[in-house]
Amino acid sequence: MKYNNSQTAAIEQGQGPTLVLAGPGSGKTAVITQRTKLLIEKGVNPRKILVVTFSKAAAVEMKERFHALMKESQVSSSYGAVQFGTFHAIFFSILKHAYHYNVNSIIREDEKMQFYRDMIKEYSFETEDEGEFISELENEISLVKGEMMDISHYYSKSCSEEIFREIYAKYQTMLQSKRKIDFDDMLVYCYELLTQRQDILAMWQAQFEYIMIDEFQDINKIQYAIIKLLALPENNLFIVGDDDQSIYRFRGAKPEIMLNFQKDYPNAKQILLNINYRCNTSIVAGAARVIRHNEKRFSKDIKASQKKENPIIIKEFPGAKEENQRIAWEILDYQEKGVPLNEMAVLFRTNTQPRMLIETLMQYNIPFRMKDAMPNIYEHFIGRDIINYIRTALGNRERKLFMQLANRPKRYISRDAFTYPEFNFEQLRIFYEDKNWMLDRIDQWESDLKWLKKITPYAAITYIRKGIGYNDFLEEYADYRRIKSEDLCEIIDEIQEAAKPFETFDEWFEHIEKYGEALKEQAKKNNENKEGVVLSTMHSAKGLEYQNVFIIDANETVTPHHKATIPADLEEERRMFYVAMTRAKVNLHIYYTKERFNKEMEVSRFVKELMEGGDSL
């Protein structure tokens, strides 16, 4: 295989620190495997070479490609001794050697979940989305460990600082009492071991004479600190990555680490892999116009190896319905022209976006595969509340439904008032007979339910939100949970939009049931079917490529997301859009809507940046 000048320079790079900037589709895996082969051919002991990746799948793929290369070489029969692994796997092997850990030393997922559920009970957290809340706590604890933070300086996003610090301390105590570690402890304990035991550090430094790291832009603070220790004293550290594709800040990954590499290693050589072998000329040029608006980045001049100039197709639609229909038509058209379904992908910012698209694909009998678990919006606590309001309006008198809805919004009704297996407004009035102001609230609740059953599902949701005051409950809940109320409003907006086509509650409930069954069926098919249009978030699409890509809902507040309020967040959102664009090899479609959930929408700033001086559009 022939390599270009920059690839050759990277492959032939010998000793010392090296920064390889590898743009999308620039052949970085080939560079790493070929360099490993060349080091062995030059006499380096394969056992002294360490190749680190961020996922087990990437490590396996890299190892397989390297072994395929070496089968053609007669230089060394011991090339299998080269170590390919993730950070966690490598660091755990160091801990195993020192502390005799084994797989049973790692805390099980169910043990962790039980701990967090115990904390929810102990601190009486009123949380409707337990799984989401636990996930947030987990991520925050992981971030504190990965960033090597002083817990007293960390400000929690999920609960008060004092409670978070108590939960953090109890979590660590629980781990110690069980003699277990979690995945973040693998990093923390490895760093502590190597900084406290110079003899052990020296042994591993001698073991790992040459270190190569793929996807370096995703590294966090503690991973980098350990790698810097292991690379001493020769500093044969060969890092490969693209700061423009750093999209995991929520996990502690920061492009600043890569940007400051040459400050840490002033004599480091820098090589730019500047030829994109994946995307056509228009996509490469368009993506460059977008990403150059980021200030904190390495300047790069990336060229396309393809000479094709298929223009990027940018279209505006009145709303989601028209956008989704167009995608279905385009997919069928491409399929007729011979493009396999699995060479087409629809990318979106969040995993709740494609609900209407999924329904459209089902209508057109277009097979699809989902890269991410698609949550059933009707199983979210907001969906359950809306459905339960309507069920009670239609005559359901289950006590648990009324208990759930009693204070959504606040009516100040006590749980003690629900003393009978079935709910009855008269019994509730008897309980509060000496409180006229409460009787007024109860009368209003009953009146609201009588009104609800007379109207369409769409109108009913409007009335629940504004007439009954459910929006006020969501505002209060968001404030209590320290989350943005817009996130909750987005969910109820989606539910309301879905209800629009249905004239009766029976029709709507039947649709909800069928939709839930279809999602479960699709989850099963995902494991079986390899054929189908890929539906993926921008995050999950990283590292993948498709002949044709559709980016949907390219609107402000969607991409960039409304959560992005500071410059660092906006730069990451732009990097995400850049990653999404550069998944396309031949055809790239970018769609946006004029209206979403009955609100006027503005085209994404990224689309405007793309169109600046875009002769090829």
Side-chain angles (χ1 to χ4, degrees):
M1 184 175 174
K2 191 178 178 184
Y3 295 98
N4 65 44
N5 292 340
S6 56
Q7 287 175 327
T8 302
I11 290 166
E12 294 179 353
Q13 172 60 16
Q15 296 189 321
T18 305
L19 165 62
V20 178
L21 294 170
S26 59
K28 65 185 177 65
T29 303
V31 163
I32 292 170
T33 51
Q34 283 289 348
R35 180 173 186 260
T36 306
K37 176 174 179 278
L38 187 59
L39 286 173
I40 294 168
E41 288 172 348
K42 287 183 174 180
V44 174
N45 184 340
R47 297 179 188 279
K48 304 265 185 180
I49 301 172
L50 171 65
V51 181
V52 188
T53 66
F54 275 82
S55 72
K56 190 176 178 181
V60 169
E61 185 194 350
M62 190 88 72
K63 186 175 183 177
E64 286 173 353
R65 287 181 65 170
F66 167 70
H67 283 192
L69 270 179
M70 291 305 292
K71 278 174 185 172
E72 304 162 11
S73 173
Q74 303 302 313
V75 176
S76 171
S77 58
S78 63
Y79 62 80
V82 175
Q83 286 203 50
F84 292 86
T86 63
F87 282 107
H88 286 98
I90 301 300
F91 297 162
F92 189 55
S93 68
I94 292 173
L95 292 176
K96 277 198 292 186
H97 193 275
Y99 300 136
H100 307 294
Y101 283 149
N102 59 47
V103 71
N104 294 321
S105 306
I106 303 167
I107 190 161
R108 298 194 317 271
E109 196 62 26
D110 63 310
E111 292 177 296
K112 276 205 296 182
M113 288 304 103
Q114 189 55 54
F115 168 80
Y116 286 117
R117 289 190 190 104
D118 291 344
M119 290 300 99
I120 287 172
K121 282 181 188 170
E122 184 176 331
Y123 288 96
S124 302
F125 286 120
E126 291 179 23
T127 178
E128 292 303 327
D129 42 357
E130 185 184 89
E132 198 174 308
F133 181 60
I134 288 173
S135 177
E136 285 170 11
L137 274 176
E138 266 196 298
N139 288 340
E140 290 197 84
I141 288 174
S142 179
L143 191 64
V144 168
K145 292 182 179 183
E147 285 295 289
M148 305 164 77
M149 289 184 195
D150 180 340
I151 187 72
S152 63
H153 296 152
Y154 180 73
Y155 295 94
S156 174
K157 294 174 185 173
S158 53
C159 55
S160 75
E161 280 69 57
E162 185 183 344
I163 289 175
F164 178 77
R165 287 164 198 160
E166 286 178 18
I167 291 173
Y168 183 90
K170 287 177 180 178
Y171 178 67
Q172 291 304 102
T173 302
M174 179 272 293
L175 288 173
Q176 287 161 14
S177 70
K178 290 177 178 285
R179 298 181 179 274
K180 297 284 179 83
I181 63 171
D182 65 15
F183 283 98
D184 298 298
D185 289 332
M186 289 180 194
L187 312 183
V188 174
Y189 292 170
C190 190
Y191 178 74
E192 288 175 355
L193 174 69
L194 297 178
T195 50
Q196 291 166 15
R197 291 287 303 272
Q198 285 301 310
D199 55 332
I200 292 175
L201 173 60
M203 180 186 77
W204 288 105
Q205 286 170 337
Q207 172 70 51
F208 301 135
E209 193 176 329
Y210 289 84
I211 301 175
M212 287 179 262
I213 302 177
D214 188 22
E215 302 284 6
F216 186 80
Q217 75 279 351
D218 294 335
I219 203 166
N220 70 19
K221 189 173 180 179
I222 196 164
Q223 289 166 341
Y224 185 42
I226 297 169
I227 288 295
K228 282 198 292 184
L229 286 172
L230 292 174
L232 289 167
E234 287 90 353
N235 289 327
N236 292 327
L237 187 53
F238 185 89
I239 67 162
V240 183
D242 182 5
D243 55 302
D244 289 333
Q245 295 186 71
S246 178
I247 59 172
Y248 296 115
R249 223 159 65 88
F250 63 94
R251 291 185 196 160
K254 291 180 179 174
E256 292 86 351
I257 295 175
M258 190 169 187
L259 292 168
N260 292 328
F261 184 76
Q262 286 172 298
K263 287 182 184 173
D264 295 333
Y265 299 96
N267 64 329
K269 186 168 184 179
Q270 181 177 312
I271 300 167
L272 171 64
L273 302 185
N274 66 331
I275 298 177
N276 180 319
Y277 291 94
R278 177 191 300 152
C279 313
N280 78 42
T281 307
S282 301
I283 295 167
V284 172
R289 282 196 296 277
V290 173
I291 201 63
R292 73 184 178 200
H293 287 267
N294 273 3
E295 290 180 11
K296 292 183 177 178
R297 63 183 292 266
F298 288 109
S299 180
K300 307 175 193 72
D301 182 20
I302 306 290
K303 305 289 184 189
S305 69
Q306 293 185 33
K307 297 305 170 197
K308 279 186 179 178
E309 285 203 24
N310 291 23
I312 298 171
I313 299 160
I314 301 173
K315 283 192 181 298
E316 178 188 74
F317 296 91
K321 183 181 176 184
E322 294 83 1
E323 179 185 47
N324 293 329
Q325 278 184 341
R326 181 56 176 257
I327 291 168
W329 296 341
E330 292 283 3
I331 288 168
L332 292 171
D333 187 47
Y334 279 129
Q335 192 183 20
E336 262 188 45
K337 291 173 181 172
V339 180
L341 287 175
N342 57 1
E343 274 293 334
M344 292 183 262
V346 183
L347 308 184
F348 32 85
R349 174 63 182 84
T350 65
N351 66 351
T352 56
Q353 276 172 257
R355 184 200 55 78
M356 286 179 69
L357 174 63
I358 286 172
E359 291 182 3
T360 306
L361 295 177
M362 287 174 177
Q363 285 167 13
Y364 283 86
N365 292 316
I366 297 172
F368 60 90
R369 293 183 293 130
M370 294 183 287
K371 286 287 292 175
D372 310 79
M374 175 72 183
N376 186 340
I377 203 161
Y378 303 111
E379 290 176 358
H380 190 279
F381 83 87
I382 294 174
R384 291 197 307 268
D385 284 352
I386 295 298
I387 291 166
N388 288 341
Y389 256 115
I390 293 165
R391 281 181 177 153
T392 56
L394 295 174
N396 190 315
R397 287 296 175 265
E398 285 179 66
R399 175 172 167 261
K400 66 178 183 180
L401 299 190
F402 282 88
M403 285 178 72
Q404 187 175 318
L405 300 173
N407 291 301
R408 300 177 186 196
K410 274 264 181 358
R411 298 184 180 95
Y412 300 96
I413 296 174
S414 167
R415 293 179 72 85
D416 297 336
F418 299 92
T419 53
Y420 295 91
E422 285 207 342
F423 178 79
N424 185 301
F425 276 108
E426 285 311 311
Q427 291 158 359
L428 195 59
R429 287 189 181 95
I430 291 167
F431 187 88
Y432 285 107
E433 61 187 346
D434 58 339
K435 294 181 176 67
N436 288 335
W437 59 279
M438 283 300 295
L439 293 174
D440 289 343
R441 291 173 190 272
I442 294 163
D443 289 345
Q444 185 60 54
W445 188 4
E446 187 174 29
S447 172
D448 286 336
L449 295 185
K450 284 177 182 174
W451 175 249
L452 274 183
K453 68 179 178 183
K454 299 175 184 176
I455 53 182
T456 65
Y458 184 84
I461 297 170
T462 301
Y463 188 75
I464 291 166
R465 295 180 71 173
K466 297 177 181 175
I468 293 177
Y470 191 78
N471 278 2
D472 298 333
F473 160 70
L474 291 182
E475 287 277 350
E476 283 180 24
Y477 182 74
D479 188 52
Y480 167 73
R481 277 289 321 280
R482 296 189 172 197
I483 57 178
K484 285 184 177 286
S485 60
E486 293 100 310
D487 293 345
L488 300 179
C489 285
E490 216 169 78
I491 291 162
I492 199 166
D493 283 342
E494 185 77 42
I495 292 166
Q496 188 166 6
E497 189 71 20
K500 223 176 205 176
F502 303 98
E503 288 299 316
T504 69
F505 293 121
D506 284 345
E507 286 175 10
W508 190 45
F509 287 159
E510 187 184 347
H511 166 77
I512 289 170
E513 192 176 336
K514 283 182 180 174
Y515 179 70
E517 286 169 5
L519 273 188
K520 286 174 189 169
E521 191 61 33
Q522 187 58 43
K524 285 181 195 169
K525 284 182 182 175
N526 269 5
N527 300 324
E528 301 162 6
N529 287 358
K530 297 298 175 195
E531 189 66 23
V533 176
V534 175
L535 309 185
S536 172
T537 59
M538 294 175 179
H539 273 115
S540 294
K542 186 168 174 284
L544 303 173
E545 58 183 48
Y546 305 94
Q547 193 168 324
N548 301 334
V549 167
F550 300 83
I551 297 174
I552 61 169
D553 303 330
N555 290 93
E556 287 290 300
T557 74
V558 179
T559 179
H561 198 264
H562 63 75
K563 284 183 181 176
T565 53
I566 61 173
D569 290 340
L570 283 167
E571 293 218 342
E572 175 140 301
E573 291 285 321
R574 189 175 282 109
R575 290 194 293 271
M576 221 177 302
F577 198 80
Y578 175 80
V579 165
M581 290 181 69
T582 53
R583 299 312 93 197
K585 295 189 279 189
V586 182
N587 295 301
L588 174 61
H589 298 250
I590 300 176
Y591 293 165
Y592 62 96
T593 60
K594 287 178 74 173
E595 178 261 4
R596 191 168 186 251
F597 308 139
N598 293 322
K599 294 171 196 158
E600 199 172 312
M601 298 295 286
E602 188 183 340
V603 62
S604 170
R605 69 192 71 188
F606 305 148
V607 175
K608 291 177 182 175
E609 292 163 4
L610 169 59
M611 296 175 79
E612 289 171 7
D615 299 329
S616 62
L617 296 179

